[in-house]
Amino acid sequence: MSATMADAQVEDWRSRADEAALQQGEAHLGLFYEGEQDGFMRLGWYRRGDEIHIYDRSMWASRELYETLEGRVETASLAPLEFHIRLHQASNYYQIDVAFDDDTATGERRLVAPGQDDATRPVNQELPEGTIARATLFLLAAVAPLELGQSFAMDWYEPTSDSVEPVVLTAAEQVDVETPAGVFTTLRLEQRGGEPANDIFVDIESGRIVRIDIAGMPMQFLALPEPAEAG
């Protein structure tokens, strides 16, 4: 991506940002595989001055897969500052720690398996100007609403694969979707160019992410009903 495109993307997202939504938000969705609930995703963020902190707690129960993520990005540009990911599967886990400086990602990826020596690999990845971290795309979808037919173009960095890919997020259609939390009138945002591709459904009234479809898999994340209050 050229510097001009990256700068335009940053300026455009800031001009569209809902300042209230930028302060704090969360997408709490159930993971459904082949129509059956099999886990959850809780992806959220909160603002602290000139930084936005992003977190993720996700589980795919039948695969014994659990992920935690902590990250910090700049409020003004969404440029990544650091990300820490723990990806557990069965008895093994991956530990990924990445810091960002001068358009470079540095850090370490480590695989920990019982009875084996830890396997480590350094991270030293040059990033195109204007690159955002993958998790930041979901924040962008919620806090900087697009109008039908409009797009954001950007490069994203995926810490788990240590890769950079060009990505386009497009408001493709308005559609009513049914979830366990009810029926919502949404904009379907197509994320294309990164792996995996996603369709992100954002409730037009509230700006809430209420559904995510994973391309090429019988997997969806769907909004869940609010828990009943005690008493």
Side-chain angles (χ1 to χ4, degrees):
M1 177 185 297
S2 68
T4 301
M5 286 182 64
D7 291 344
Q9 183 269 322
V10 170
E11 180 181 353
D12 197 27
W13 97 262
R14 285 302 314 182
S15 69
R16 296 180 179 281
D18 181 328
E19 290 299 323
L22 192 62
Q23 299 306 310
Q24 184 174 358
E26 186 177 80
H28 181 205
L29 308 174
L31 184 160
F32 289 78
Y33 189 78
E34 295 184 337
E36 299 294 329
Q37 187 169 355
D38 194 18
F40 65 88
M41 178 180 77
R42 187 184 290 272
L43 175 71
W45 61 91
Y46 57 93
R47 180 174 175 177
R48 291 241 174 113
D50 59 0
E51 295 181 358
I52 298 172
H53 295 242
I54 300 174
Y55 61 88
D56 178 31
R57 311 287 186 265
S58 297
M59 181 179 71
W60 189 355
S62 65
R63 304 294 175 94
E64 297 186 56
L65 188 64
Y66 185 79
E67 179 182 81
T68 65
L69 174 148
E70 306 287 343
R72 296 187 299 115
V73 304
E74 293 180 356
T75 300
S77 65
L78 298 184
L81 298 171
E82 64 175 3
F83 273 82
H84 305 279
I85 298 172
R86 304 295 180 267
L87 182 63
H88 298 253
Q89 186 164 29
S91 58
N92 301 337
Y93 72 88
Y94 289 90
Q95 179 175 322
I96 303 165
D97 298 291
V98 184
F100 301 83
D101 185 46
D102 294 330
D103 295 323
T104 303
T106 59
E108 184 179 80
R109 296 156 47 83
R110 181 163 68 103
L111 170 62
V112 179
Q116 301 180 30
D117 293 338
D118 293 358
T120 62
R121 185 168 72 83
V123 172
N124 189 3
Q125 178 80 251
E126 292 187 10
L127 306 176
E129 184 176 355
T131 297
I132 67 170
R134 179 180 183 272
T136 310
L137 179 83
F138 297 94
L139 178 151
L140 191 63
V143 306
L146 290 165
E147 296 180 12
L148 192 61
Q150 293 181 328
S151 299
F152 286 136
M154 67 209 77
D155 292 301
W156 83 8
Y157 173 70
E158 169 54 274
T160 56
S161 61
D162 190 24
S163 61
V164 179
E165 297 178 277
V167 173
V168 178
L169 186 68
T170 302
E173 65 174 336
Q174 179 175 314
V175 58
D176 290 342
V177 298
E178 185 174 353
T179 75
V183 177
F184 299 89
T185 299
T186 70
L187 273 182
R188 180 175 65 84
L189 308 182
E190 292 184 345
Q191 169 253 304
R192 298 295 185 266
E195 294 296 335
N198 294 295
D199 285 349
I200 305 169
F201 296 79
V202 180
D203 177 37
I204 292 174
E205 181 177 354
S206 66
R208 174 186 173 194
I209 296 173
V210 296
R211 172 174 150 183
I212 301 172
D213 292 353
I214 310 300
M217 295 184 66
M219 178 185 286
Q220 294 179 312
F221 293 87
L222 301 174
L224 299 173
E226 294 294 330
E229 295 185 7

